[in-house]
Amino acid sequence: MRGGLRYIIALLVAGFSLVTYYCKRQTNPVTGEVQHVNMTTEQEIALGLQAAPQMAQQYGGLHPDQQAQASIDRIGAELVQASGAAQSPYKFNFHLLADENTVNAFALPGGQIFLTAGLLRRLGTEGQVAGVLAHEVGHVIGRHSAEQLAKTQLTQGLAGAAGIAAYDPERPGSSVANAAVAAAIAKVVSLRFGREDELESDRLAVKYTAEAGYDPRAMIQVMQILEQAGGGGRGPEFLSTHPNPGNRVGVLEREIAEQFPSGIPGGLKR
């Protein structure tokens, strides 16, 4: 393929990817944010329900402790009912996973939220549990999975365009360099979006915990617990799936101060 034609095709691929991404926009019914997503809330719910059994199996299935599960359900329901999440189209379900060793929590699109027993046993108060669950509710309300799917398609298109533009038929080894360029582009774009999602989930979690009667400062304690769980080495899985943009505790402290300029209301549960 001649250089000029190669570049034209690369530009067309990149342009199509960008136009497709930026033209698919929906207004979030809870946050009011205009987002780039290419699936409906009904599709999110169906995707989450379909993936939930497989995800649970990866962590040893559901935990047999019905009393602990009931507590998770109660705290989760309080968070949803007291916040804007109740006005969303999502049906939230909270699952305690049997894995005692993995420290993690995550949300699937549509309202399926998971917490491992390994993380739960490190949490000392209901407020800390509420902080973790509220953060995951924030991911669902923020439609972060749907956004990430759209962004993945965008990065794949841009990476493909970069590979086409960089390929040199007279230098077969260039295909390896092309793959590196494509991977670098995808990594940079995905990292940027991941940080934004985490910050939005933190902001929503601060709001949701307080609305449900829990002290949002418990979230700071959760971050300290997770740091200790890392032991200075490889951090817990929670921190690998939840990128930490700088000083997470500082971010939370600033967010709490902004949302409660007159101080935390009295009587909140920790």
Side-chain angles (χ1 to χ4, degrees):
M1 187 184 299
R2 293 183 180 275
L5 179 58
R6 187 170 69 245
Y7 295 139
I8 290 174
I9 293 176
L11 286 172
L12 289 174
V13 171
F16 177 79
S17 300
L18 289 166
V19 169
T20 300
Y21 175 76
Y22 283 103
C23 285
K24 292 181 178 179
R25 303 194 302 173
Q26 297 180 29
T27 300
N28 189 300
V30 178
T31 67
E33 177 187 1
V34 177
Q35 299 174 288
H36 299 285
V37 295
N38 55 10
M39 63 193 312
T40 65
T41 54
E42 290 78 12
Q43 290 172 323
E44 286 182 82
I45 294 171
L47 180 60
L49 288 172
Q50 183 177 7
Q54 180 180 355
M55 292 301 298
Q57 193 60 37
Q58 291 182 14
Y59 291 86
L62 299 179
H63 201 287
D65 188 337
Q66 293 302 309
Q67 183 176 356
Q69 179 62 61
S71 295
I72 298 294
D73 289 336
R74 174 178 55 80
I75 295 171
E78 290 175 353
L79 290 166
V80 171
Q81 294 169 4
S83 68
Q87 308 305 318
S88 76
Y90 303 117
K91 306 299 182 184
F92 288 89
N93 297 111
F94 300 88
H95 310 278
L96 178 61
L97 298 171
D99 193 331
E100 297 277 355
N101 299 316
T102 303
V103 178
N104 200 14
F106 56 90
L108 295 179
Q112 303 302 309
I113 293 175
F114 298 83
L115 173 71
T116 65
L119 175 55
L120 180 62
R121 67 185 176 87
R122 287 174 167 82
L123 303 177
T125 69
E126 287 194 0
Q128 293 171 4
V129 176
V132 172
L133 297 182
H135 180 91
E136 301 306 330
V137 169
H139 278 305
V140 175
I141 294 301
R143 304 191 71 186
H144 295 157
S145 292
E147 282 188 309
Q148 193 60 47
L149 288 172
K151 291 162 190 171
T152 297
Q153 293 178 351
L154 171 62
T155 57
Q156 288 175 341
L158 295 178
I164 293 172
Y167 178 69
D168 185 350
E170 296 182 359
R171 296 170 54 231
S174 65
S175 59
V176 176
N178 295 348
V181 171
I185 292 175
K187 183 176 181 179
V188 170
V189 175
S190 297
L191 179 61
R192 172 178 173 270
F193 287 134
R195 287 174 175 170
E196 292 177 353
D197 289 347
E198 292 305 315
L199 292 175
E200 182 177 32
S201 288
D202 280 345
R203 288 192 292 269
L204 291 172
V206 169
K207 184 174 185 291
Y208 291 169
T209 50
E211 289 176 341
Y214 293 97
D215 192 325
R217 289 174 294 191
M219 295 174 61
I220 296 174
Q221 299 168 359
V222 170
M223 290 301 156
Q224 294 167 340
I225 290 170
L226 291 170
E227 185 177 4
Q228 293 172 359
R234 183 182 182 275
E237 187 174 347
F238 184 93
L239 295 181
S240 68
T241 55
H242 297 66
N244 187 353
N247 188 342
R248 191 70 168 273
V249 171
V251 171
L252 285 168
E253 289 175 339
R254 288 192 295 273
E255 187 60 36
I256 291 171
E258 289 179 8
Q259 291 197 28
F260 303 97
S262 300
I264 299 294
L268 296 181
K269 295 179 288 185
R270 291 198 176 193

